[in-house]
Amino acid sequence: MKVTIKEVAKEANVSPSTVSRVISDSSQISEETKERVREAIKKLKYKPNAIARSLANNKSRILGVVLPNEAQDLITNTFFIQAMKGMSQYAQNKRYYITYAFSEDEKTELEYINNFITSNLVDGICLLRARTNDESIKYLNDTEFPFVVIGRPEESEELLWVDNDNFQATYNLVNELIKKGNKNIAFLGAKKEWNVTKDRFKGFKVACEINGISIQDKNVVMMNDFNEKEGINGTIKLLENITPTAIIVEDDILAFGTLKVLKERNIKNVEVVGFNNNPLDEFQTPSLSSVDINAAELGYYAAKILIDFLENNQSTINHYIIDSKLIKRESFK
């Protein structure tokens, strides 16, 4: 296990910030304290991490962004393009640069993060999703490396993060559908270990319960990935048991598959609403209604909160909640 700055501070009976100042040879620290900290560093064989190096003014002014496997298809999955655009806009204003890495899975994601940190290439890292028991978040937190998450982390109080209120957005959407007379509503999602999926499904479930609608297992289908093929397979699975009057689909790309199945089977009068407001929504048949999560704004504020932290080494704000809006098209009759 890598020794952390907190362990050095405990050994030397000082604060972590004092250890950082000793590493940067601050004149504000007494020689007696410096010697005690240096002895603790030597005893524990501590190697200063990127935070310590940045405190010594050795900054790269580069942010590392780790993209999940779903971002590989940037043409279809435009959420990541928009998020990166927003990050780049704020970073450029502050004269920071961004480097990107595409991960295949959680293991390679950790490898990229470790490479970013040990190479001293970046000053901070941005993750574009949050999982249950997220090993990347745990690793970054344990190594005390500055990072921000687009998505709500499980332990959110001490971390930097940016997200929509996904619970409220889905809750409001269900209420709109119910007001229009829908009582047989289905939910098609993916990546059930992601916190965004949990929040959206919880909003769906609570809104149905409050309105006296019982949600059964057959009304909910969870797939493995966010892509059109999974949307097709998920919709086929859903239709084996029910013909809903409305389907809330967690992502527009999944919803593209849903619309295809409904069209092929000539099933009409089923309202379909997705999330992300993909530019391709208007070209679907029918055109897809979607909750616009303002992905560019998510990226913009993710870069802002991380850079603010890097510049000030402290922050009174640890998260931003970005507004979302339902965009109604033909699939919302």
Side-chain angles (χ1 to χ4, degrees):
M1 292 291 291
K2 184 176 179 180
V3 176
T4 68
I5 200 169
K6 290 180 181 178
E7 291 173 304
V8 174
K10 184 177 180 181
E11 178 69 24
N13 196 28
V14 296
S15 68
S17 61
T18 298
V19 176
S20 296
R21 293 190 181 96
V22 171
I23 292 170
S24 61
D25 200 24
S26 171
S27 59
Q28 297 178 352
I29 307 299
S30 69
E31 286 302 318
E32 178 183 349
T33 301
K34 286 182 178 179
E35 186 59 31
R36 191 162 76 249
V37 171
R38 287 165 182 157
E39 286 179 2
I41 289 173
K42 185 177 180 180
K43 178 181 177 181
L44 298 177
K45 298 180 180 179
Y46 172 69
K47 293 182 180 180
N49 64 20
I51 283 184
R53 289 193 291 270
S54 67
L55 287 170
N57 296 319
N58 185 21
K59 293 186 177 181
S60 67
R61 300 191 74 81
I62 298 175
L63 305 180
V65 178
V66 183
L67 295 143
N69 185 55
E70 290 73 22
Q72 300 270 4
D73 187 1
L74 291 175
I75 295 175
T76 304
N77 201 334
T78 57
F79 163 77
F80 298 101
I81 292 178
Q82 293 301 316
M84 289 187 289
K85 178 182 177 182
M87 282 187 280
S88 296
Q89 285 177 336
Y90 189 84
Q92 287 173 7
N93 290 339
K94 291 294 183 176
R95 297 185 179 180
Y96 275 75
Y97 299 90
I98 296 179
T99 183
Y100 299 97
F102 287 88
S103 61
E104 295 292 333
D105 49 34
E106 193 168 8
K107 181 181 178 182
T108 56
E109 183 174 282
L110 280 167
E111 289 173 357
Y112 281 126
I113 290 170
N114 182 61
N115 289 338
F116 275 148
I117 294 174
T118 57
S119 66
N120 198 25
L121 177 64
V122 302
D123 294 334
I125 289 175
C126 178
L127 302 177
L128 273 77
R129 49 97 217 100
R131 304 183 187 95
T132 303
N133 300 319
D134 198 304
E135 290 298 323
S136 295
I137 291 175
K138 185 177 184 300
Y139 177 75
L140 284 162
N141 202 31
D142 288 346
T143 54
E144 300 168 324
F145 194 85
F147 71 100
V148 64
V149 184
I150 295 182
R152 180 190 58 80
E154 287 183 295
E155 304 296 331
S156 59
E157 290 185 7
E158 303 297 326
L159 303 180
L160 303 179
W161 58 282
V162 179
D163 202 2
N164 311 106
D165 189 336
N166 287 296
F167 170 89
Q168 192 66 50
T170 317
Y171 182 94
N172 293 343
L173 176 56
V174 171
N175 280 334
E176 282 217 40
L177 288 168
I178 291 173
K179 285 178 183 177
K180 295 180 69 182
N182 291 286
K183 293 184 179 180
N184 189 5
I185 306 172
F187 183 94
L188 174 58
K191 297 283 186 182
K192 63 181 180 180
E193 72 276 13
W194 286 19
N195 289 341
V196 63
T197 301
K198 290 182 176 181
D199 289 345
R200 287 175 182 168
F201 176 66
K202 186 176 180 181
F204 165 77
K205 185 178 180 181
V206 171
C208 287
E209 289 174 349
I210 287 177
N211 284 278
I213 296 175
S214 176
I215 296 301
Q216 302 177 38
D217 290 344
K218 63 184 181 181
N219 290 76
V220 180
V221 173
M222 291 289 183
M223 304 304 290
N224 294 320
D225 291 297
F226 292 104
N227 58 55
E228 189 173 314
K229 184 178 180 181
E230 288 286 80
I232 290 171
N233 293 336
T235 305
I236 291 171
K237 184 177 180 181
L238 188 66
L239 294 175
E240 287 175 356
N241 299 304
I242 62 169
T243 303
T245 59
I247 306 174
I248 293 176
V249 190
E250 195 194 348
D251 185 274
D252 287 348
I253 300 175
L254 283 171
F256 295 167
T258 298
L259 292 178
K260 278 191 174 182
V261 173
L262 294 176
K263 184 179 179 181
E264 288 172 359
R265 298 191 178 191
N266 197 30
I267 299 175
K268 300 178 181 179
N269 300 319
V270 177
E271 300 194 89
V272 180
V273 184
F275 277 80
N276 292 354
N277 195 29
N278 191 303
L280 298 176
D281 290 352
E282 295 184 39
F283 303 100
Q284 305 304 304
T285 306
S287 58
L288 178 64
S289 301
S290 181
V291 177
D292 188 347
I293 64 172
N294 291 309
E297 199 169 345
L298 286 167
Y300 182 92
Y301 278 93
K304 173 178 169 54
I305 200 169
L306 179 57
I307 291 173
D308 285 352
F309 178 83
L310 292 170
E311 296 291 337
N312 301 319
N313 291 320
Q314 60 183 359
S315 179
T316 55
I317 298 174
N318 80 308
H319 72 279
Y320 289 102
I321 298 297
I322 307 302
D323 289 337
S324 59
K325 180 183 178 181
L326 174 61
I327 307 298
K328 297 178 181 179
R329 298 189 180 94
E330 292 172 351
S331 71
F332 192 91
K333 299 178 177 63

